Amino acid sequence: MAVGARSGHDEPEDRPERDESPAGGAAVPPEGEGDAAGGGTPPKGKKQRSFWVELPLLVGIALILALLIKTFLVQAFSIPSDSMQNTLQRGDRVLVDKLTPWFGSEPERGEVVVFHDPGGWLEDTVTPEPNAVQKFLSFIGLMPSSEEKDLIKRVIAVGGDTVECKENGPVTVNGKSLDEKSFIFPGNTPCNDKPFGPIKVPEGRIFVMGDHRQNSLDSRYHQELPGQGTVSNDEVVGRAIVVAWPVGRWATLPVPDTFDQPGLNAAAAMAPAALGVAGAVPLVLWRRRRLTARRTAG
């Protein structure tokens, strides 16, 4: 018995001499298993779809992802005015974080935020009429919206704060002066064009100002409206986190150090007095009990 050259099993010595394999002795693959790399015929029922058939599906998925990103993550906004110079220039594109508000985050002092018109702030502003392509790109978030009446300002005070600015003086929050040299427009005064306050910011609202103080119709100019010109947290779209366009102006938008100074928080400012009262109450009660006991004994 000889060992079979192909199968590895014993075969009869008198097997047929005739070679029925294809020319050259090439192995024949099992039926229905074509060699994809060698250009074999694909199995029946698994015909590959053409690129042009799959293209609409790919485009649809991309548009859905873009819409979800715009709705829940980040959105691009265009700067239409000079009210935030030099931090932001007219025509800049900023990316706004829309994710953190979904987790209960509220605007904080020093942040640059985009918010919807609370009512009456942009009533005299004319917005250009976009074409169909611009409307579509704005809808999916690939282009800033030119129809929505949104504003962008810096948060100066939050709910519970008392904010004030007298002529020739600095802006004060809860009695603490703000050092605004790092972001206020060069040559501007903090509020000489429109002194204000003191204003107690209602809970759930913010007091905002532009960095270009003498060219910004901000909270100071809308004190006749409900909330004394403050903006509801519900109107805030999100925090502007980065200047994305033009490329030469790429920069992040951090919170200036002056907003991190000790004692700026209204609750922190009240803490020493609250602790003093809490400590005095037991002492007063103890003293009254002693006096009552003496009177009873006498």
Side-chain angles (χ1 to χ4, degrees):
M1 299 290 288
V3 177
R6 290 185 296 173
S7 68
H9 297 286
D10 292 343
E11 295 182 1
E13 291 183 352
D14 58 345
R15 63 184 177 179
E17 294 279 336
R18 187 166 56 90
D19 184 6
E20 298 179 351
S21 64
V28 179
E31 184 178 354
E33 295 185 8
D35 184 1
T41 304
K44 293 181 180 180
K46 295 185 178 179
K47 186 178 180 181
Q48 187 176 4
R49 289 177 293 187
S50 72
F51 170 76
W52 298 109
V53 173
E54 292 186 347
L55 182 60
L57 178 62
L58 295 175
V59 172
I61 293 173
L63 292 178
I64 291 173
L65 289 175
L67 183 59
L68 290 174
I69 290 173
K70 171 216 171 179
T71 303
F72 299 106
L73 298 179
V74 295
Q75 184 177 358
F77 284 85
S78 178
I79 306 304
S81 70
D82 301 325
S83 68
M84 281 296 293
Q85 288 179 321
N86 276 334
T87 304
L88 299 173
Q89 302 290 346
R90 185 191 295 261
D92 283 353
R93 302 293 198 270
V94 297
L95 296 183
V96 173
D97 170 23
K98 301 178 69 175
L99 176 63
T100 51
W102 286 89
F103 294 94
S105 175
E106 295 184 348
E108 297 183 2
R109 303 180 199 90
E111 293 180 346
V112 176
V113 297
V114 171
F115 56 95
H116 300 310
D117 182 1
W121 287 42
L122 295 174
E123 59 183 7
D124 297 327
T125 303
V126 179
T127 56
E129 181 64 27
N131 56 40
V133 175
Q134 290 174 324
K135 287 182 178 180
F136 177 72
L137 293 177
S138 296
F139 174 73
I140 62 175
L142 297 181
M143 183 177 177
S145 175
S146 58
E147 287 185 303
E148 295 178 0
K149 291 190 174 183
D150 296 321
L151 301 97
I152 184 165
K153 304 289 181 189
R154 189 180 297 277
V155 179
I156 302 299
V158 297
D161 289 344
T162 298
V163 60
E164 181 180 12
C165 185
K166 297 179 180 179
E167 189 171 359
N168 296 323
V171 175
T172 63
V173 178
N174 301 323
K176 294 288 184 178
S177 299
L178 299 181
D179 183 359
E180 302 182 292
K181 295 185 183 68
S182 65
F183 57 88
I184 199 171
F185 186 76
N188 275 194
T189 59
C191 65
N192 276 8
D193 57 314
K194 187 71 171 177
F196 63 92
I199 295 174
K200 178 80 170 180
V201 182
E203 291 294 339
R205 303 183 74 85
I206 55 176
F207 188 95
V208 298
M209 299 175 73
D211 289 354
H212 194 167
R213 294 293 162 77
Q214 274 69 70
N215 193 14
S216 176
L217 297 178
D218 44 43
S219 289
R220 298 171 294 162
Y221 287 88
H222 303 286
Q223 295 180 43
E224 76 285 355
L225 298 175
Q228 289 186 276
T230 59
V231 179
S232 171
N233 290 352
D234 294 336
E235 298 286 350
V236 176
V237 177
R239 175 187 174 184
I241 54 177
V242 66
V243 180
W245 186 265
V247 176
R249 282 190 44 76
W250 189 94
T252 57
L253 298 170
V255 173
D257 292 339
T258 189
F259 292 97
D260 293 326
Q261 61 178 298
L264 190 63
N265 191 305
M270 295 173 61
L275 289 174
V277 171
V281 168
L283 183 61
V284 170
L285 292 176
W286 174 79
R287 187 170 179 275
R288 289 185 64 182
R289 285 180 182 176
R290 269 190 82 179
L291 291 173
T292 303
R294 284 180 182 177
R295 289 171 186 164
T296 303

